[in-house]
Amino acid sequence: MKKILIAAVFLLPFIAKAQSSASDAQTSGIYGYKIEDKYVYYGNVVQVDTSFTVNDLNKDAKLFITKMALVDYKITSDDKTNSVVTFDVDEPSTYKTQTGIGTEPMDIKYSVKLEFKKGRYRYTFDNIIITFKNSDDKNIPHTLYELDQDKGGGILGVAVNKRVLKAMDQLFMSKIDLLTKTMSKRSDDF
């Protein structure tokens, strides 16, 4: 009896892990993106006032794109029948230097997909490519997955990848905050 109890205690974590769904997205820990295998993205379904129609949410999405004040973006789809707006963005940004005093340039390319249903919407920021200079002073593009896998840096966090991830995460979280605020009011209300 004792052996069965001990075996059950040791096997319980494996059984629980096997029963959890493989498609469940896991958050990255300290950053706001989600990870599903090698697919890394920012996304969520957000409930809004149930009186908001798909048309209202579509107008709010257009206002969100305008409020982002992007220089280089392209709307790739504005499908009113399927209630989807997608656009690609190429945006310059910066990250802190190792000393924290100055900044270094980086470029972020990503896609945004907004899907609407009455009273709710889903946002997805994905296909994220970050380009910054490596130690050889060459601009190298990195996927978000690559950066997440190599985000070392020890206790002090002096690694470049960690500083890039932190700056990129702050940028996306501010965009998600702007999206939430914009989509919570009808654009006609402004």
Side-chain angles (χ1 to χ4, degrees), residues 66-176:
T66 304
K67 282 184 170 182
M68 283 179 37
L70 298 169
V71 174
D72 191 4
Y73 74 94
K74 178 183 176 188
I75 295 179
T76 55
S77 171
D78 186 4
D79 188 354
K80 292 186 181 181
T81 57
N82 292 321
S83 308
V84 177
V85 173
T86 58
F87 57 100
D88 295 331
V89 178
D90 186 353
E91 182 174 12
S93 188
T94 60
Y95 65 95
K96 296 265 187 212
T97 61
Q98 185 172 349
T99 60
I101 295 172
T103 59
E104 294 286 333
M106 68 178 176
D107 185 63
I108 303 175
K109 294 181 182 180
Y110 56 95
S111 298
V112 181
K113 182 177 184 180
L114 302 170
E115 302 168 272
F116 316 111
K117 290 192 176 179
K118 184 175 169 56
R120 67 181 186 266
Y121 67 92
R122 176 187 321 209
Y123 66 87
T124 308
F125 291 77
D126 63 359
N127 300 325
I128 302 168
I129 306 289
I130 303 118
T131 304
F132 58 94
K133 288 185 180 180
N134 65 2
S135 58
D136 297 333
D137 220 24
K138 295 179 183 175
N139 280 331
I140 306 291
H142 304 273
T143 64
L144 182 51
Y145 179 76
E146 292 169 347
L147 287 175
D148 182 72
Q149 295 303 302
D150 190 30
K151 65 181 172 214
I155 297 171
L156 298 176
V158 294
V160 172
N161 290 2
K162 199 176 218 179
R163 290 182 276 128
V164 167
L165 280 173
K166 185 176 181 180
M168 182 227 40
D169 191 62
Q170 289 172 345
L171 177 81
F172 279 108
M173 296 312 284
S174 68
K175 291 188 182 313
I176 291 167

Side-chain angles (χ1 to χ4, degrees), residues 1-15:
M1 183 68 165
K2 207 179 215 183
K3 290 180 182 177
I4 294 173
L5 184 60
I6 291 172
V9 168
F10 284 117
L11 294 177
L12 187 61
F14 297 110
I15 294 169

Side-chain angles (χ1 to χ4, degrees), residues 60-70 178 181-182 190:
D60 290 344
K62 300 288 176 32
L63 182 61
F64 166 68
I65 294 169
T66 304
K67 282 184 170 182
M68 283 179 37
L70 298 169
L178 177 64
K181 288 177 182 173
T182 304
F190 291 103

